[in-house]
Amino acid sequence: MVKRLSPQAQDVLQRAFALFQRGEFRQAEHLARSVLPANSRNPMLLQFVGILCHSQQKHAEAVELFGKAIRLDPGSAEAHYNLGTALVSLSRWDEAVRSFNRSLASRPGNPDALRNLGLALNGLERFAEAEAALRKAAAAAPGSGPTHFALGVALKGQKRFEEAATSLKRAMALGQVDPAAVHECLGEVFFAWNRSLAAIDHFQRVLQARPRQLSAALGLAEAEARIGSYLDAARHFALAHEVAPDEPQPLVGLMFSRRSLADWGELDLLEKRLSAMLHGGAVPANPIRTLCLRDDPALHLKASREYVGRQFALPAEPGARPRGGGQAKEKLRIAYVSGDFRVHPVAFLAAGLFEHHDRQAFETFGYAWGGDGSPICRRIRDGFDHFVEVDALSDADVARQISGAGIDIAVDLQGLTGPLRSGILTGRPAPVQVSYLGQPGTMGAGWIDYIIADRFLIPPAEAGHYSESLVYLPDCYQVNDSQRAPAGPVLERDTVGLPREAFVFAAFNSTYKITPAMFGVWMRLLSRVPDSVLWLHCKDDREGQAAADNLRRQANTRGIASERLVFAGRVPLQAHVQRLQSADLFLDTFPYGGGATSSDVLWAGLPLVTLAGRSYVARMAGSLLTAAGIPELIAASLEEYEAIALRLATDRAALDDVRARLATARSSGPLFDTARFTRNLEAAYRAMWERHTAGEAPGTIDLGALRER
């Protein structure tokens, strides 16, 4: 039986309630607790004290008090609601969901309980269920800004970005929400939606209100980096690093931005900080940026696993694949999934692959987003049996389409690059799933079974640093398009800004791939090869100008006149390949070398020197040179790299011999034979499917070894 309060206790509580209404929570709690010992079985009093504790952020005490009230009055909708709110504050989402459901069982349709149920479900990333609860709350109380805010979060979680933005803007208009929190959520929505300029605007608004908010500074820096505004990105990554000096994401972002500008002034200091973090067990937050920091496949795997585990809330360990259940088939259904079927290196490399598939044995599906209507985009569309644009669909909807189409093998052509939609394959809509071409290394994802490689690209000794099983193609991992236009006539050097008689070293990889050590080698080559110049690529914008100015200063500090550095701007691909012919020798970068760029160089007939390391990105050019039959241009050390380049720059006969062999490889070798590559890849798909139908787990597939049996 519940003991009724005495008149004296009621008077005390009235005074406590008045204090509560004025926001004087500590004094109110002191008064209320003074009558609690004599009334410890009064559920309303227990709830009141719990509310006072909750108002002072003492959420664990509030949970205990609400629990006692519920034991005394199990049917109280209010008590279950209050317990749920305290549990939400402690991020105890599962328990909060149960509490709100019990509250709603006693008081169906309560908009506050529905809203908070949605909040808890958002916390559990059960976004579809959260949406259902929040839409009921909005129907019951359409003027609630917090409800529309939570609904925006639920829609963002389902990657329904346009609807999410609408809900968040509605929340802002209705009020009763923190404007900075809404702007930050809008920034996250627009960033994930690949609307970087809008994301920048909203993150800037957050920083105007909260100048040192870490999440907003990072969000702003990431959006600026995505559009290449590295001067701004570096400033905001630096702010984030100042706020959180022990966090790897701001530091790695700062290093990447500075390297994109060839701003090496503090690079040694930042490298030491990163080394200390890594030694302490920290993991770089961005696996793609990690590729240019270290030639370390183990670190690359660790970074990818941590990233996909955080992004998708799934275990990143391999081996979670269902086995068996398939049947031998005369015609396999292959789906290629990518946001790069547009003016993008992946598109230019792979267009011929889709056209060359054997239509008697394979039925091809393209699932695409981000198309740009360009000729290459239209060509790729026409190269598929079925082409589906999925921009407006959620990842789950795309996965359902893939599953419904009976796809046998799904190929992720984008990986962790670009706007992230790897979530399409996390639920395994296809029995066999493959990473190819877009991700330059391991994805560290348990839902990807295989990675396409060759024995040079990923030596067997490094296989343990890949979460995927390796598929070794016999020639080269990289597809090339035999139908691409010829390089065209060699341009007069003065038309591309080069001196007529100089020996031209070219290094057109992105600026962030240039390290001080490699630049030092290039400067020594200029000093040892009279009348030589270094031809570099920098964009025609303020970032490109800043990078060019920094590289000129670096040349001067090494005793090389800045005039010996020549800079080229961006031009269309065909014009770029044509101008490459005006150079004498291409110099690759390390540890992140050129992939598609190396193909362009070799297609132009330009010899290329590379340094092969241990990681995927440090061996891409070497794979192409091996397939081209010119492995002697692959160095095993920086000293050997310099020696090879110097020999070719000073021995015209040796350089001419390499050029002649490259011309032969280009016309009749395997590197640019798309039909041959496609047959090899199709054989790999059949081998994958045979393992699946036999009930075998994914394992190494070596087509070269299979053919030798």
Side-chain angles (χ1 to χ4, degrees), residues 93 115 118-128 130-131 134-135 145-161 163-169 171 177 181-186 188-189:
W93 309 114
R115 181 186 70 248
L119 286 173
L121 290 166
N122 276 340
L124 290 169
E125 298 187 5
R126 290 159 55 181
F127 297 116
E131 179 192 357
L134 291 162
R135 290 202 182 279
T147 297
H148 287 279
F149 182 19
L151 179 58
V153 173
L155 293 165
K156 175 170 75 81
Q158 298 175 75
K159 294 183 169 58
R160 290 159 57 187
F161 300 125
E163 295 173 80
T166 299
S167 289
L168 292 167
K169 290 175 182 178
V177 291
V182 179
H183 279 301
E184 183 165 10
C185 195
L186 278 165
E188 293 165 354
V189 165

Side-chain angles (χ1 to χ4, degrees), residues 305-324:
R305 279 185 167 165
E306 194 277 338
Y307 183 73
V308 300
R310 185 178 68 253
Q311 287 289 330
F312 301 105
L314 290 172
E317 296 297 325
R321 174 184 180 273
R323 293 164 57 180

Side-chain angles (χ1 to χ4, degrees), residues 593-655:
T597 295
S598 297
S599 285
D600 296 337
V601 168
L602 298 179
W603 182 255
L606 179 61
L608 178 152
V609 180
T610 189
L611 169 57
R614 296 176 56 209
S615 59
Y616 185 115
V617 292
R619 301 180 68 84
M620 296 185 294
S623 170
L624 272 64
L625 287 169
T626 300
I630 319 175
E632 66 268 28
L633 301 189
I634 307 169
S637 68
L638 207 57
E639 294 75 19
E640 186 182 4
Y641 173 101
E642 185 173 348
I644 293 171
L646 181 62
R647 179 176 64 84
L648 292 175
T650 56
D651 185 342
R652 176 58 65 175
L655 184 61

Side-chain angles (χ1 to χ4, degrees), residues 316-340:
E317 296 297 325
R321 174 184 180 273
R323 293 164 57 180
Q327 298 178 350
K329 304 176 77 171
E330 291 186 6
K331 200 170 191 178
L332 288 177
R333 292 187 165 192
I334 311 295
Y336 292 93
V337 182
S338 181
D340 293 333

Side-chain angles (χ1 to χ4, degrees), residues 92-333:
R92 290 162 59 177
W93 309 114
D94 278 312
E95 296 168 84
V97 167
R98 288 195 290 271
S99 291
F100 291 127
N101 279 328
R102 287 167 183 158
S103 178
L104 287 163
S106 299
R107 193 179 296 171
N110 181 351
D112 291 331
L114 286 165
R115 181 186 70 248
N116 283 286
L117 173 60
L119 286 173
L121 290 166
N122 276 340
L124 290 169
E125 298 187 5
R126 290 159 55 181
F127 297 116
E129 296 173 67
E131 179 192 357
L134 291 162
R135 290 202 182 279
K136 290 179 182 177
S144 169
T147 297
H148 287 279
F149 182 19
L151 179 58
V153 173
L155 293 165
K156 175 170 75 81
Q158 298 175 75
K159 294 183 169 58
R160 290 159 57 187
F161 300 125
E162 186 171 6
E163 295 173 80
T166 299
S167 289
L168 292 167
K169 290 175 182 178
R170 175 71 173 152
M172 186 78 79
L174 289 169
Q176 300 176 317
V177 291
D178 177 1
V182 179
H183 279 301
E184 183 165 10
C185 195
L186 278 165
E188 293 165 354
V189 165
F190 283 113
F191 182 79
W193 197 7
N194 202 26
R195 306 290 198 274
S196 296
L197 292 176
I200 287 169
D201 175 64
H202 287 288
F203 286 128
Q204 286 175 333
R205 291 170 185 254
V206 180
L207 286 180
Q208 287 169 4
R210 300 171 183 168
R212 293 179 63 82
Q213 182 160 311
L214 176 62
S215 56
L218 275 175
L220 178 56
E222 293 289 357
E224 289 164 338
R226 178 179 285 178
I227 64 172
S229 294
Y230 294 114
L231 289 165
D232 296 326
R235 187 170 70 256
H236 291 113
F237 277 127
L239 170 62
H241 180 51
E242 180 184 321
V243 173
D246 298 324
E247 292 293 322
Q249 183 180 356
L251 175 58
V252 170
L254 176 58
M255 293 175 69
F256 182 83
S257 298
R258 293 267 179 86
R259 284 180 55 159
S260 297
L261 299 165
D263 180 359
W264 304 332
E266 294 185 343
L267 199 57
D268 287 344
L269 173 63
L270 298 178
E271 286 279 2
K272 289 178 182 177
R273 291 178 184 173
L274 178 63
S275 295
M277 284 187 188
L278 297 178
H279 184 73
V283 181
N286 186 305
I288 302 302
R289 291 179 188 149
T290 304
L291 299 175
C292 72
L293 298 178
R294 297 283 192 282
D295 180 34
D296 185 348
L299 178 63
H300 299 169
L301 172 60
K302 191 176 181 181
S304 291
R305 279 185 167 165
E306 194 277 338
Y307 183 73
V308 300
R310 185 178 68 253
Q311 287 289 330
F312 301 105
L314 290 172
E317 296 297 325
R321 174 184 180 273
R323 293 164 57 180
Q327 298 178 350
K329 304 176 77 171
E330 291 186 6
K331 200 170 191 178
L332 288 177
R333 292 187 165 192

Side-chain angles (χ1 to χ4, degrees), residues 460-483:
E462 303 291 353
H465 299 131
Y466 291 78
S467 63
E468 308 87 354
S469 294
L470 303 181
V471 177
Y472 287 128
L473 300 185
D475 300 316
C476 180
Y477 82 101
Q478 190 181 92
V479 63
N480 277 281
D481 182 17
S482 56
Q483 296 184 42

